[in-house]
Amino acid sequence: MDIRAVLFDVNGALIDIQTDERMEEVYRAISHFLTYQGIRLHRWEVCDLYFAVMKEQFSANRETYPEFDVVEVWREVLRRVATDYTRTLPPDKLETLPLFLAEVQRGIARKRLALFPQELEVLDRLKARYALGVVSDAQTAYAVPELRAVGLHAYFQTIIVSGDYGYRKPDARLFQKALDALQVDAAKAIFVGNDRYRDIFGAQQVGMKTVWFCSGLHPNNSHAAEPDYIVYRFADLPEAVDFLAAR
């Protein structure tokens, strides 16, 4: 098989990450920050309002696999609790506050952000032979900065993030957007992911070959789809790609 591209999921497949968006410290910090914007809320009021607005956003979304927009969630939170003082803040500050809150929320919620062993060596080998891309169920507000933080951003010719489109994997359109950006046919591409439903089933819908990376961060949905190859270490990925390319 003439393989031209290898595409990846991010969390659990490219990045060893752990977060806790319900962590009390997240909303304590945001609550304290908001007092300087003229907004006085208890940390649990901030938390409850954030998740209520997110739920509303999901409910209003008519996609089969809906995705939320974290920046717009925080924008709506601010709109609902803004005081007269808040509305006197400089327009530039008001415009950037939702993104800032999304970044602060993610930064405090993050417990681990690391690469898998030998990952850069593997990506160097793959980049020399194939176009590389990303299709991630995430938010650009933190997915792209996290890729940069661990030194991965420059490896990829295209990065597709579900939060920018309002729908998430396994929606085939996300995979197709990445393939179109790389100008590669699905039959000549491999997708690497840690989720057998969102990643493996999703990529198979458009005709891609698939590698399931059992990274220890994979959800328990093993019944969802059968991958073409399974790896338990990132270091074994070149072997998987070579095997599929030879078929």
Side-chain angles (χ1 to χ4, degrees):
M1 180 182 294
D2 182 17
I3 297 298
R4 300 291 182 86
V6 181
L7 292 88
F8 295 83
D9 178 35
V10 176
N11 296 334
L14 279 173
I15 295 178
D16 181 6
I17 189 168
Q18 182 182 4
T19 63
D20 181 0
E21 278 74 19
R22 291 277 185 178
M23 191 163 58
E24 180 179 350
E25 288 87 343
V26 174
Y27 302 98
R28 178 189 289 116
I30 291 175
S31 171
H32 290 181
F33 171 77
L34 288 176
T35 62
Y36 298 96
Q37 321 311 315
I39 299 167
R40 189 166 179 82
L41 292 174
H42 188 273
R43 59 184 178 274
W44 292 120
E45 292 178 300
V46 177
C47 179
D48 289 347
L49 182 55
Y50 170 81
F51 283 103
V53 172
M54 180 195 291
K55 184 177 180 180
E56 291 171 12
Q57 201 180 94
F58 272 118
S59 296
N61 190 320
R62 296 296 176 241
E63 294 287 349
T64 303
Y65 306 106
E67 181 61 282
F68 76 106
D69 182 330
V70 68
V71 174
E72 290 307 311
V73 170
W74 281 115
R75 193 180 309 281
E76 177 61 16
V77 168
L78 289 170
R79 187 191 69 79
R80 294 187 188 186
V81 299
T83 63
D84 289 342
Y85 175 79
T86 310
R87 287 183 279 271
T88 67
L89 295 173
D92 288 351
K93 183 174 185 179
L94 287 172
E95 178 61 29
T96 58
L97 266 180
L99 174 59
F100 177 79
L101 290 172
E103 293 171 340
V104 168
Q105 177 192 31
R106 179 69 165 195
I108 300 172
R110 199 185 76 213
K111 296 182 177 181
R112 183 175 67 248
L113 180 69
L115 296 177
F116 295 102
Q118 298 177 261
E119 183 168 349
L120 295 182
E121 299 168 38
V122 169
L123 290 176
D124 283 335
R125 290 175 59 185
L126 293 177
K127 188 173 177 61
R129 299 170 59 191
Y130 308 105
L132 303 183
V134 159
V135 181
S136 178
D137 282 343
Q139 302 291 316
T140 295
Y142 38 79
V144 172
E146 286 166 359
L147 285 169
R148 284 200 179 97
V150 294
L152 295 185
H153 186 269
Y155 281 94
F156 303 104
Q157 293 172 236
T158 187
I159 297 174
I160 302 297
V161 181
S162 61
D164 295 337
Y165 299 97
Y167 48 87
R168 62 174 58 180
K169 296 178 291 186
D171 195 304
R173 290 174 292 177
L174 292 173
F175 299 94
Q176 192 60 55
K177 285 180 183 296
L179 293 168
D180 290 346
L182 295 174
Q183 298 183 315
V184 174
D185 292 336
K188 296 181 179 181
I190 295 171
F191 193 83
V192 181
N194 68 314
D195 188 315
R196 286 179 70 166
Y197 181 59
R198 293 187 183 185
D199 297 326
I200 304 307
F201 171 68
Q204 288 174 348
Q205 287 188 98
V206 295
M208 299 173 70
K209 293 297 183 184
T210 57
V211 176
W212 182 34
F213 177 24
C214 297
S215 62
L217 301 174
H218 50 282
N220 184 21
N221 57 7
S222 59
H223 63 284
E226 287 296 326
D228 296 294
Y229 203 99
I230 301 173
V231 297
Y232 295 89
R233 303 183 309 154
F234 201 92
D236 295 331
L237 188 55
E239 178 183 329
V241 173
D242 288 345
F243 174 83
L244 294 176
R247 292 177 65 180

